[in-house]
Structure formats: C-alpha cells, structure tokens
Amino acid sequence: WGPWSSCSSSCGDGVALRTRRCLRSTEEDTCTGDPRQYRLCQLQGCPGGSVPFRAMQCSLYDNKPVLGTPARYRWVPFHGAPNVCDLNCLAVGHNFYYTFGRVLDGTRCGPGSPDLCVGGRCLSVGCDGILGSGARPDACGQCGSSHDTCLFVHRLFQGADPSSEPGGARAHRRGSARDGEGGGGAGMGAPGPPPPSLPLPLPLPMQVLLQEPNPGIEYEFWLPREHPQLGRGDTSPLRQPQPRGAGSPPPQEPPV
C-alpha cells in the first residue's frame, strides 16, 4: 500500500485514498482484491452558513447552458432519483431535474445519511474508518478483532440476595415473553429488538420488587475475556456462568 492522500474536503467529512501495487513472483500469479482503499477523514466542522457539499456541486451549473437551449436555470439538490451518488439537481421553479454525472467523492449519500459516495457507489463506513470494509465492533466494542475478545455470561437468579455484577461488562437490555412470567416477578421491558449495547464501567446495582416467590430471573451480559470475574468462584445463588465466544448461537433454555 502507498501513503494516504490528503482529505477530499477542507472541513466536515471527506475521504482519503490510497492505492497498492501488485507484486508478482511469476506471470501466472494474480493479485486479488481492490487496488484502491478509501477511509473517512473527519475535520473540524464547517463554518456556520456554509453551503452543503452537494448543494455546492449543483450550484456550479447555475446560469450555465444546459440541454442545448439558451435557457438558464438555478439548481438545487434533488433526492428522489434512483442513484443517490449521481449529481441529480432540480431546476428551481420548474418540475424537472437533470443529472450532471457523479457527485464528488466524500459526498453524503443522502440527507442525514452517515454513508458516503465514492466512485459513484454509496459505501458505509466501517468501525475501522475504511469505507466498504464492513468492519463492525464485536459485543465488547472491539473493532477488527476476532470474536474471541469477550465471553457471553448467562445466569439465572432464583434466590433473594443477588451479588452485584462485575464492572467492565456490556449489557444488552431486552424483553422476552418470559419477563414477568409466573404472575409476580419483575418485567424487564417489552418484547422487541435489543437496543445498542451499554458499557458498564462500574458495578451495576439492580432492585427487584417481588410480590410473589421469585419465579426466576434470567439475565445475560458480555464480559472481556481477561476480566478477573471469570476466574473467581461464584458464591452467590446465581447459576455458574456459561461462557461462549461472541457470535456463537444462544444457549439452550436453562433448567429451572
């Protein structure tokens, strides 16, 4: 790989490019993969009142001859066209738009979109800052690492005196059909998709008001593999942890 280029923008968001040279030992060897790579470069915010990047590109064609006619138009971005990475501009005061080729690299794919256009394609930014890499953080928030950086801990509390959970865990609050099961117990949220994970830098105390005998409270969290809690014995009435690698299938229903 060669060095990264300068950022495509002087403020706000932009992209930098680097290329790589194919080194072959024989003529039969081929180099696979994309010879270009783009990464996000975020600079200081643009001054107040600055013209948005896409709008600036459309305005370059203001009062210029278009469509082979002497008519002159003022152009603003049009976001209803099929390809979001084309420079689609609407003629102000008229009911048509025109496509002036592609937008410049580093243009947002749409209003409020975090994705950027590069080479006419809309690419998502991975957690490594590389566009189109598909890199996502694992359950412990580590980017670009293997799925072995943290373990899944799944426990069932059936007593009345739980110990606090260790700090450094990442909890996923979610609801399920089991919440509040048994007529008493504690509802932990409505059924639905889990929200983003929350890092827990300190022990997290929780209170549960039981109006009937505890029907069993099941909970789970991700814990860094090197956390000292994983080496301790469990002296509380909680079930022993069941570690598994991140990305593994969920465990079977625990025995009650």
Side-chain angles (χ1 to χ4, degrees), residues 136-156:
R136 294 290 180 266
D138 64 15
C140 281
Q142 300 296 317
C143 179
S145 59
S146 67
H147 291 298
D148 296 325
T149 63
C150 56
L151 295 176
F152 179 77
V153 179
H154 183 191
R155 290 175 174 169
L156 178 68

Side-chain angles (χ1 to χ4, degrees), residues 43-208:
L43 309 172
Q44 70 277 7
C46 295
S50 300
V51 178
F53 197 24
R54 188 182 288 261
M56 180 273 294
Q57 295 172 60
C58 285
S59 69
L60 296 177
Y61 296 92
D62 288 353
N63 300 315
K64 301 285 182 65
V66 178
L67 304 175
T69 68
R72 300 291 190 269
Y73 304 97
R74 187 166 64 89
W75 302 95
V76 295
F78 176 69
H79 298 288
N83 191 340
V84 296
C85 289
D86 283 343
L87 183 57
N88 305 302
C89 304
L90 179 71
V92 176
H94 301 270
N95 60 351
F96 69 90
Y97 73 93
Y98 190 77
T99 301
F100 296 98
R102 295 175 176 175
V103 296
L104 297 176
D105 288 350
T107 303
R108 292 281 177 183
C109 297
S113 171
D115 303 331
L116 301 178
C117 292
V118 173
R121 294 187 301 151
C122 182
L123 300 178
S124 297
V125 182
C127 62
D128 54 1
I130 305 298
L131 280 79
S133 69
R136 294 290 180 266
D138 64 15
C140 281
Q142 300 296 317
C143 179
S145 59
S146 67
H147 291 298
D148 296 325
T149 63
C150 56
L151 295 176
F152 179 77
V153 179
H154 183 191
R155 290 175 174 169
L156 178 68
F157 171 62
Q158 294 178 285
D161 184 25
S163 62
S164 60
E165 283 308 332
R170 296 181 71 89
H172 298 259
R173 181 180 182 274
R174 71 176 185 179
S176 69
R178 297 169 61 98
D179 293 341
E181 184 180 354
M188 297 289 286
S197 63
L198 302 174
L200 305 177
L202 298 173
L204 178 67
M206 296 189 68
Q207 274 190 331
V208 179

Side-chain angles (χ1 to χ4, degrees), residues 9-13 41-47:
S9 179
S10 59
C11 66
D13 295 331
C41 47
Q42 293 179 302
L43 309 172
Q44 70 277 7
C46 295

